[in-house]
Amino acid sequence: MEYEYSDIRTKEEVEEASKEEMRELLIETFDNVSVLYEIYKRRSWLDKLFTDNILSMDKDALYVSNQVATICETQTYMINNRRRELLDYINPISMGEGSSKTFKHNYISVFKMKMIIGLTGEGSEYTVPQLKEIIYSGGKPTTTTNKSEEPTSSDQMFQMMQKMKRFEKFLDMIESDEFFKEIDRRVQVTTDKLLKESSSDDEVHEKIIKLFDKIAYGNESVAIKEELFKEFDSLLELYPKQSYSINMYKTAADEKITRFKQDERELHVQKVKGTIADLIEKYSVSNSDNERDTIKNQLSRLSDQNPDMSFDIRMWLSTLSKEKAKKGLLSRFFSN
């Protein structure tokens, strides 16, 4: 069977076609339907949404949290936090129960997460409570059996307004930006509520920041930082209403401590390795039996003081002991 040259596509052309298909699928799903998408659209921010990672998604795949974080170019803890706050909107697939419960996300859930991440967080347009206000229009969806009593979400409101465009009065309202003025008004109301929170809430936030800064940037040892870390649990018990902020900083502090421990371990390993190299060098040039015995004792103590590194110490000795005189040291050390 013969093929026309024009029918043969390169790998790059196939990938590009796949990305364009995903773009069209997302636009079809969210354009004139999602209020968050409309915010990006009206601010000419769509390029921030249609990244290579987003366009490379498989419409039939389900992604776990760390994969979603990679696609959205953020940290896994951020994905977990935003999902917890906006679970009904993101609508992931849940599997398992209790501590073994996991979430999987199709391309629609991942794209919703991408929009949320871009509009919240440090230096972003909205806070999470403000975004909730935009999405839920003042009320989180409930499980009431009377559908007429369920609050109307902003997405639903937006869709209704789009359908009403055929009527002149609604067309005028859309074209005059009245819909988005109403959204801005609701955001302002939410902001005012946040500003009117009691001073005690401000004090709690200050405590959280102070504790995190002490762990992340203080000069205390890792052991002391681990003790300080336990204070997050105390804050959670004392201020349950602030659990979102406390858990967010607690997760970030835990990652900092893990990094500090890794750095401290690496520094200690390099120090021990350097000490061994110096001792072997001294042994190789020494002509005194007493001095060589002293060096062997030092190496033995070094191994005893670092039992978790015993294998590594012997491996380093084997690597460094290339010359005949040094091999004599290695055999004597192993025989002890």
Side-chain angles (χ1 to χ4, degrees), residues 56-273:
S56 297
M57 288 191 295
D58 183 343
K59 64 183 178 66
D60 297 318
L62 292 177
Y63 301 97
V64 294
S65 297
N66 62 332
Q67 292 175 314
V68 177
T70 299
I71 295 171
C72 294
E73 299 174 86
T74 187
Q75 301 298 318
T76 303
Y77 75 84
M78 183 71 75
I79 297 299
N80 294 335
N81 288 340
R82 292 298 182 268
R83 182 179 57 232
R84 182 169 55 250
E85 290 291 327
L86 294 160
L87 184 64
D88 296 306
Y89 177 71
I90 296 170
N91 194 28
I93 298 171
S94 62
M95 298 182 175
E97 297 292 337
S99 60
S100 62
K101 189 173 186 178
T102 58
F103 293 94
K104 293 192 175 182
H105 313 71
N106 61 16
Y107 73 96
I108 293 176
S109 293
V110 176
F111 193 74
K112 286 181 179 181
M113 186 71 78
K114 179 68 174 178
M115 291 193 291
I116 292 166
I117 293 295
L119 293 175
T120 60
E122 185 176 353
S124 297
E125 187 90 351
Y126 304 100
T127 64
V128 174
Q130 288 172 340
L131 207 64
K132 280 186 176 181
E133 189 73 20
I134 292 174
I135 293 171
Y136 297 133
S137 291
K140 190 174 181 181
T142 61
T143 56
T144 175
T145 56
N146 187 347
K147 291 186 178 181
S148 64
E149 295 177 1
E150 292 181 358
T152 304
S153 73
S154 290
D155 279 358
Q156 292 170 327
M157 184 189 302
F158 185 77
Q159 292 175 57
M160 286 190 294
M161 285 186 149
Q162 289 295 92
K163 292 177 181 178
M164 292 173 180
K165 272 187 174 181
R166 68 176 69 92
F167 299 104
E168 184 177 354
K169 60 180 179 179
F170 290 105
L171 178 62
D172 291 341
M173 184 174 66
I174 291 293
E175 292 180 346
S176 64
D177 284 342
E178 286 299 319
F179 173 74
F180 288 96
K181 286 180 182 178
E182 173 63 15
I183 289 296
D184 289 339
R185 185 193 68 78
R186 294 182 181 187
V187 169
Q188 187 59 50
V189 169
T190 303
T191 302
D192 291 342
K193 288 179 182 178
L194 293 173
L195 292 175
K196 291 178 182 179
E197 288 180 347
S198 65
S199 59
S200 62
D201 289 337
D202 294 333
E203 291 173 5
V204 173
H205 187 69
E206 186 177 342
K207 288 180 181 179
I208 297 170
I209 297 294
K210 187 175 180 180
L211 178 57
F212 174 79
D213 287 347
K214 198 167 186 179
I215 292 173
Y217 308 113
N219 296 322
E220 292 80 5
S221 66
V222 174
I224 293 178
K225 290 179 187 289
E226 287 182 312
E227 287 300 316
L228 289 171
F229 181 77
K230 297 177 182 177
E231 294 183 20
F232 279 111
D233 292 330
S234 300
L235 291 175
L236 284 169
E237 292 181 5
L238 291 171
Y239 310 106
K241 291 183 179 180
Q242 298 282 352
S243 61
Y244 172 76
S245 294
I246 296 172
N247 279 319
M248 182 176 68
Y249 281 96
K250 180 182 178 183
T251 300
D254 187 39
E255 292 177 353
K256 284 283 187 181
I257 290 175
T258 300
R259 180 62 183 171
F260 289 144
K261 290 169 79 172
Q262 290 172 345
D263 291 344
E264 191 177 70
R265 168 72 177 177
E266 181 63 24
L267 188 63
H268 178 66
V269 167
Q270 292 301 323
K271 185 178 179 180
V272 172
K273 195 171 182 179

Side-chain angles (χ1 to χ4, degrees), residues 316-333:
W316 296 332
L317 280 169
S318 177
T319 302
L320 292 169
S321 300
K322 299 294 185 181
E323 300 172 11
K324 202 173 216 181
K326 296 180 186 178
K327 287 182 180 178
L329 166 64
L330 182 63
S331 62
R332 291 188 183 93
F333 179 70

